[in-house]
Amino acid sequence: MDKYIINGGKRLTGEVEISGAKNAAVAIIPATILADEPCILENVPSINDVTIDLRILRELGADVKMLNRNTIRIDPRPIRDMPVPYELARSMRASYYFLSTLLNRFGHAQVPMPGGCYLGDRPMDQHLKCFRSLGAKYSIEHGVVNIEADTLYGTHIPFDKVSVGATINAMLAAVKAEGQTIIENAAKEPHIVDLANFLNSMGADIMGAGTDVIKIKGVSRLHGAEYAIIPDQIEAGTFMIAVAATKGDALIKNVIPKHLEPITSKLRKIGVVVMEYDDSVRVIGQGNYEHTMVRTMPHPGFPTDMQPQFAALLTLANGTSIINEGIFDNRFRYADELRRMGADISVDGKMAIIEGVDHLTGAPVKATDLRAGAALIIAGLSTDGVTEIEDIYHIERGYDNMDGKLRAMGADIVKRTFSESIRQAI
Ligand code: EPU
């Protein structure tokens, strides 16, 4: 019920420090279950999806200690053989990584079907295909996936489609299987490489992560490790667009510029100045941007997780822009909300057509999912009026202190809790 209230029209300036990557963290945290010693994870983002992951680990019996805001010590040794609690698993997509990790640890696992953002149909057939190929049996009953295997055997897994989650589950399942596993048509996102690096630092033998083919030689044990999670390229891209949309000038720090290339090149194409340094990028917004065409694709293509934010920027560009969503069936639910703010955007299946307008106006809107919420923040920051964004729990699932970071850059954004909203209304 909490809201963000944005009094828009302020240029973003100064600098912002990007947090650790959500989609790497939600894979690496359950991966600690595979270790037979404690692990220390650094640069962990302080976001609700991580909180849920840690609650699941604690419910299972792990000893989880926060060493500071972004460093966590996880001792997986006390974990008990029990089902993953229903409500926790249902509240995030990445809970499916407990399938492979608990299967590896106990020879079976019971994990409720995952939740997460509604972006259209999100089947799990490729995950189940990989478990079956490795020799596991599964059933789905009463909304829970039950999976078991006395031993997992290395095998060949040619995925029918590129899936981040299924690639990660295949790596987590195969890492301790008997013999060699070859994953073909693997996803290549930076978080796939990050997970492979973490597992290798624990003693795994994984080669080829970041390419189409990943080779894994199973090992019998994984030891503890101390590991720093990579910066979040989607959070970085979101701030880059926010700076551009407010005609600001700011340094985005703690990034890997290479991971941002698909975003950087699109921003440059429409007229945003982006300067790259070793571990930061400076963005200078000019206004008066050109229209463009965007098609989202698996990495290294333009990321689907940046599509709503980029669309928000294109609502203010000159001429007609076209967005083709190449990953999910329903990732334009934010269009209705942007229209409330005066955007001219029409959606036809997996394509959106945006006619640039002169300006947007503040309005009451709802975050329909995580990245849709980020798009509404960007739209709100770029207009002169007041924008109230409801359902910000979606945003807090994946952005670490978004409002605080924006305030430090000059934005007028406050979070109002529900009780405060009522108090102000009476
Ligand atoms: N798909 C299948 N069968 C499967 C798995 C996926 O058909 O078994 C399809 C999906 O329906 C989709 C496509 O394959 O059309 C790609 O889905 P993918 O499995 O790659 O997505 P995911 O693992 O469910 C992760 C991120 C998403 C991000 C996508 C694509 C996590 C926890 N989530 O989801 O992140 O959009 O990869 O990059 O890593 C976000 O952060 O906002 C977010 C939604």
Side-chain angles (χ1 to χ4, degrees), residues 89 92-101 111-112 114 122-124 127 131 163-166 168-169 172:
M92 71 186 294
R93 172 115 326 234
S95 53
Y96 47 38
Y97 299 142
F98 286 93
L99 276 170
S100 48
T101 48
V111 182
R122 293 184 82 175
M124 282 189 64
H127 298 248
F131 293 135
S163 159
V164 169
I168 288 178
N169 253 334
L172 292 170

Side-chain angles (χ1 to χ4, degrees), residues 7 30 326-327:
N7 202 342
I327 308 289

